[in-house]
Structures are given as C-alpha cells and as structure tokens.
Amino acid sequence: MNAAALKQWIAGGKLDETLALLYGTDQLDAQKARYAEAVDEFTALYGDRDNLALFSAPGRTEIAGNHTDHNHGRVVAASVNLDVIAVVSANDSPLIRIKSRGYRMDTVDVNDLAIRPEEDNKAISLIRGTAARFLQKGWKAGGLDAYTTSNVLKGSGLSSSAAFEVLVGAILNHTCNDGQISPVEIAKYAQYAENVYFGKPSGLMDQMASSVGSAITIDFADTENPVIEKMDFDLADMGCALCIVDVGGNHADLTHEYAAIPAEMKQVASFFGKEVLRGVTVRELLDNAKPIREQFGDRAFLRAFHFINENERVGEIVAAIRQKDYAAFNRLIIESGNSSFRYLQNVYANPAPAEQGMSIALAIAERVLAGCGSWRVHGGGFGGTTQNFVPFDKLPEFRREIEAVFGEGSCHILSIRPAGGTRVL
C-alpha cells in the first residue's frame, strides 16, 4: 500500500476499530491525524513506497514491584495509551535507517553489529543491539526504512526506551520474520539491547509490559521463562483515574544512580552465596545485618530490605486487584511508595539534594488523597514521575494543586492499553 492509499484508509475509517482499541474512542480523530502526519513525514524522507506498514509500541506504568525485576522478583505492570509509532518499508539493502522525530537519522548495517562503546546511551545502540540479538537467536534482520514519532514522555518513568526497543523488535519480527516471534521473546531481545549495547543494566519488566500489553503480573524467578498472567484491572470500577505527574526531571544523566540499585542488591545477595536476592528472607537479612553493613554499607542493606518486602507485597497487591479490594490496594500502594522513599532511596539523587520535585509531588498527593487514594514514586525514580490513583471526585482538586506547582499539563491522565507492541497495519 502506497502513501496515498494508506492515508485514504486512515481518513476513511478503515483503521478506526484498531485505533479505538489502542487509544480509546475519544482519541480517534487525534490519532488518525497523527498517523497521517507520520506517513507524510516518511514520504518526505524516503519517497513513496508500495509496501508501507504501521507499527506501535506503548509506554508502560509500573503498578507494583519497584526495582524488583532485576533481582528475579515479582511485578505488576501495564501498558498505557502513550506510545511510539512508526511508518515502515522494507528495502533491498542491508541498512536499517530509522529517523525519529526531533532526532537525526540512525543508520545500522546488519553486516556490522559489533558493540560500539561510543554509542552508549544512544538510540542507535538499541537498533544495533536488537538486530544483533535477532541474528544470534537464528532469526532474520534485514534492511528497512522507518520514521517514528513518540508521545511517551521522555524521562517520565513510562519507559520511552523500552517502547522504542519493542517497536524495533516488532518491526523486525513482521518485516523480516513473518511475525513468528512471540512478544515475550521480543521483550528479551529488547532487554539485551538495553543491557549490552545501550549500557543500562535494566531488568525485564519495562520491555515485557510494553511488548505483552494490558495489565499483567510477572514472576521473574526464572528469567528465561517468566510467568506472565493478565489481570482484569478496571480503573472505572475502582472509581479512580490513573495520574502520572511529571515533575520535570530527566533520566538522561542518572544511569549510574539506576545501576547502583541492582549492583548493591546483588552485593548483599553475594553474602548469601546467591547471584540475586530472590529467596533471601528478612530474617536472614536481619540476622546478618552487622557483617552486611560492614562489607557493603547501610544503603545496600536498606535496598535489600526493600526488595524482600516489596516482592512479598506484590503478591498482596495482585490478590487485592483480583478481589477488587480497592481499600487494600490503596494501602499497599502507599506502603510500596514509602518503602521506595525510605529504604530503596530512589525519590531523588543523593548528589543533588536541592532538586526534590518528586518529594514535593508526593507531599501534595498525600495532602489531597489521604484516606481515599494512593500515591508513590513511579518507575526507576530519581526525579521523573509519581503515580497516583485519584478518585474521580478528587481529580479537579488534585490536578489544580499539582499543576499550580509543576505547570499546566504536568498531570497526565492515562488509561491501560489492552495491546502491546503491534503491527497496526
């Protein structure tokens, strides 16, 4: 399908059912305009083609399990209605060319997929790493041209990087491999790209939530075969809106802060002869507090304490969701947030104590939502976003108080998307 025919399909409503599923009916006109604009941008870059395809991969919200995945813990996560989309066409060369809105073109030769240290923390490393993993696993990775645009807030804790990685994986899956690769495998390839090529030691939760989609609980006890269960998590039935507050922080220069969390947890695990903390109990931790503190420091001890309790708390949150016990859900979410603040210590970066926007956002949430909603640090932390479950009748007040401090548009009301990384057309 060429550009003119594709735009006619979009304008004529042929994609309405799919777009409504991904974004909601209230966003239909805006998304049709967005996709049509992306087709125009592709054509301006590469010329018209007869084999255009559309792809989408969502951001994700972490509902529970803050920094547990990288130590083989449990999480609850969901894909959201913010995403990165792509217009794609296969080409006859070995070159993968991807131009993202606001960034220069990235070009990767599939015959040259060696790790390049100068590409650390750059999008091109994610493209190169994902393609390399496809080939390592016996799949194909061929030439293609793509234009992408994203409304996943950068540095927001909604994991724009995972969405981009999953998008690249979905494109290679359908363009080169007839869609034979499962969303779970694509998530693993995406994590490999981020860990090995991008240089960020993330767990698997971000990629899995983006790739699989909907609200899910994941048990990473066996990271090669994670146990994934979809859940019915109806925000309307709960009587709450999911609000992500962007405090204006940025994750760009904080990779070392994130990397320290799994590293310190694994240091404590090594004390018990393990690679990860999964399986260590609070009793064991407390009984060995003195030598652990002496060897690894107090922060490592506290982060291990957070992990063990948070991992158990995830099971309680899953039970509360399934039983529709929303009072228990809110109580447990607040407990999770308090544990992250006090023990995990990822609400603000220690070298920058003057920058505590997230702490302020949490203080406002507690003032407005105490006794009726819940709030916590969101995602990786360190100045990005907070997650809030806000009763509908409190929403105007919550938004007003938040935006008075952080600016208009800082309070984002999201919905849970029922699909992960996908070929839209």
Side-chain angles (χ1 to χ4, degrees), residues 268 271-272 282-302:
V268 177
F271 179 89
F272 297 99
V282 170
R283 186 70 267 159
E284 289 173 322
L285 188 68
L286 293 173
D287 287 346
N288 292 280
K290 187 176 186 293
I292 289 171
R293 293 175 64 199
E294 289 173 348
Q295 289 186 47
F296 308 117
D298 288 348
R299 191 174 70 172
F301 176 88
L302 289 168

Side-chain angles (χ1 to χ4, degrees), residues 148-270:
T148 82
T149 181
S150 175
N151 61 12
V152 183
L153 308 171
K154 186 175 175 57
S156 66
L158 295 171
S159 203
S160 57
S161 60
F164 182 78
E165 296 154 15
V166 168
L167 181 76
V168 173
I171 291 169
L172 290 173
N173 185 23
H174 289 279
T175 303
C176 306
N177 298 282
D178 299 320
Q180 298 178 71
I181 308 169
S182 74
V184 170
E185 288 302 306
I186 289 175
K188 292 178 184 177
Y189 302 169
Q191 184 205 21
Y192 173 86
E194 183 158 316
N195 290 175
V196 178
Y197 279 72
F198 188 78
K200 183 176 179 180
S202 69
L204 186 54
M205 178 189 67
D206 296 352
Q207 295 83 1
M208 198 67 76
S210 177
S211 191
V212 173
S214 75
I216 55 176
T217 180
I218 315 170
D219 189 331
F220 289 110
D222 178 358
T223 55
E224 286 302 309
N225 300 285
V227 177
I228 304 166
E229 299 177 60
K230 292 195 174 185
M231 295 188 299
D232 178 18
F233 186 39
D234 189 339
L235 292 170
D237 183 60
M238 185 178 174
C240 283
L242 170 59
C243 296
I244 299 296
V245 173
D246 184 359
V247 304
N250 195 307
H251 291 192
D253 299 320
L254 294 171
T255 296
H256 63 288
E257 294 282 358
Y258 302 115
I261 293 176
E264 290 178 11
M265 288 182 179
K266 289 174 182 178
Q267 284 176 343
V268 177
S270 71

Side-chain angles (χ1 to χ4, degrees), residues 6-18:
L6 180 50
K7 288 180 67 177
Q8 187 174 359
W9 263 60
I10 295 170
K14 296 291 183 68
L15 296 180
D16 282 8
E17 185 175 347
T18 299

Side-chain angles (χ1 to χ4, degrees), residues 53-66:
L54 303 176
F55 292 85
S56 163
R60 67 97 185 98
T61 184
E62 171 203 282
I63 296 168
N66 197 213

Side-chain angles (χ1 to χ4, degrees), residues 1-4 42-44 46-50 52:
M1 185 177 296
N2 65 18
F42 177 96
T43 305
Y46 305 109
D48 200 3
R49 301 285 178 84
D50 290 326
L52 295 180

